[in-house]
């Protein structure tokens, strides 16, 4: 489920962690709030070292090894922090790029510090979701909300296809993509349509990406 504002900074994204296999090694938690998800990896013994980059990283949980508080829109500071802490075996980038001014500039910086053979888990909300599209089509409404797909702090918007374009344009390979479809009705409709309506029913997509070994 997408994070709510009240739990965003300390939510453990078990849905994303379920996409990882084996030991996560050296982990970057980019935009991970106080580092709850990566801290859970550390507690489970599935990560050897965790670096957190976020504007609230000064409040990082104790299981985070290295925390850097910075403005994630500042590409120069982000690059310096990544170069100092990387490279990484695993990068978590969960529902953060949509909050940035220029995610297309930041994403290559993340990709550059992913080790050959490394894994990135990327999560983004889907603007093609029917809860957004239908009010726009039927009522001419595009109403922001406190959380979810229409979170008022979102600056950039993605469909499934544009997520894939962002994620793979630099050479990362898509290993898996998982739609987040919530509720019995939407899941039943997706099953009955054999996935034909997936892009309208998914609130969010999670992508598992790999960097080819050199």
């Amino acid at each position: 489920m997408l994070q709510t504002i009240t739990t965003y900074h300390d939510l453990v994204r078990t849905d994303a962690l379920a996409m990882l296999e084996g030991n996560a090694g050296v982990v970057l938690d980019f935009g991970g709030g106080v580092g709850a998800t990566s801290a859970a990896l550390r507690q489970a013994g599935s990560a050897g070292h965790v670096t957190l980059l976020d504007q609230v990283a000064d409040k990082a949980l104790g299981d985070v090894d290295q925390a850097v508080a910075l403005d994630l829109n500042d590409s120069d500071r982000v690059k310096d922090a990544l170069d100092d802490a990387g490279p990484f075996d695993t990068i978590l980038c969960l529902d953060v790029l949509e909050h940035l001014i220029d995610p297309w500039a930041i994403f290559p910086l993340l990709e550059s510090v992913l080790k050959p053979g490394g894994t990135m888990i990327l999560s983004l909300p889907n603007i093609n979701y029917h809860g957004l599209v239908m009010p726009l089509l039927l009522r001419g409404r595009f109403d922001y909300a406190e959380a979810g797909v229409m979170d008022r702090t979102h600056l950039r918007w993605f469909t499934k296809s544009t997520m894939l374009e962002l994620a793979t344009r630099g050479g990362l390979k898509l290993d898996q993509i998982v739609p987040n479809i919530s509720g019995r009705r939407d899941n039943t409709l997706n099953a009955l349509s054999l996935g034909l309506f997936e892009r309208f029913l998914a609130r969010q997509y999670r992508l598992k990406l790999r960097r080819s070994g050199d």
Side-chain angles (χ1 to χ4, degrees):
M1 181 176 293
L2 288 176
Q3 302 101 313
T4 65
I5 282 179
T6 55
T7 61
Y8 173 80
H9 292 305
D10 58 3
L11 177 68
V12 177
R13 288 292 301 275
T14 55
D15 57 335
L17 295 183
M19 299 179 76
L20 293 174
E21 301 173 1
N23 193 290
V26 180
V27 175
L28 169 66
D29 193 351
F30 184 78
V34 297
T37 299
S38 51
L41 271 178
R42 196 80 166 88
Q43 292 167 4
S46 297
H49 187 279
V50 168
T51 297
L52 169 69
L53 267 64
D54 195 281
Q55 62 182 3
V56 297
D58 55 332
K59 300 178 178 64
L61 300 179
D63 289 287
V64 172
D65 298 286
Q66 181 179 7
V68 182
L70 78 173
D71 179 359
L72 299 182
N73 284 304
D74 188 334
S75 58
D76 289 336
R77 288 200 63 200
V78 168
K79 183 180 187 306
D80 288 344
L82 293 176
D83 288 344
D84 287 343
F88 303 95
D89 300 293
T90 302
I91 296 178
L92 303 176
C93 185
L94 307 177
D95 293 288
V96 59
L97 293 182
E98 67 272 18
H99 297 275
L100 302 185
I101 295 170
D102 190 356
W104 300 274
I106 296 298
F107 190 84
L109 301 181
L110 300 176
E111 182 179 355
S112 71
V113 292
L114 185 63
K115 292 181 181 180
T119 298
M120 180 188 296
I121 305 297
L122 173 66
S123 177
L124 287 165
N126 173 33
I127 196 174
N128 221 164
Y129 175 59
H130 70 80
L132 183 155
V133 171
M134 295 310 292
L136 184 60
L137 287 176
L138 299 179
R139 298 188 288 112
R141 300 291 302 183
F142 189 85
D143 297 316
Y144 287 99
E146 294 301 320
V149 178
M150 292 298 293
D151 187 320
R152 65 180 69 255
T153 65
H154 290 177
L155 300 179
R156 300 299 181 187
W157 305 90
F158 297 90
T159 64
K160 181 180 181 180
S161 61
T162 57
M163 293 176 200
L164 290 170
E165 288 172 6
L166 169 69
T168 60
R169 65 176 184 162
L172 294 185
K173 305 300 182 183
L174 179 68
D175 193 40
Q176 185 181 10
I177 182 166
V178 179
N180 173 18
I181 301 175
S182 60
R184 181 178 297 179
R185 182 194 64 181
D186 283 1
N187 276 285
T188 299
L189 182 56
N190 188 55
L192 291 175
S193 71
L194 301 178
L196 182 63
F197 295 154
E198 177 197 283
R199 66 188 179 99
F200 299 111
L201 300 171
R203 294 173 177 266
Q204 171 195 62
Y205 282 95
R206 300 186 303 278
L207 290 72
K208 182 178 182 180
L209 304 156
R210 293 192 186 275
R211 182 175 178 184
S212 300
D214 292 344

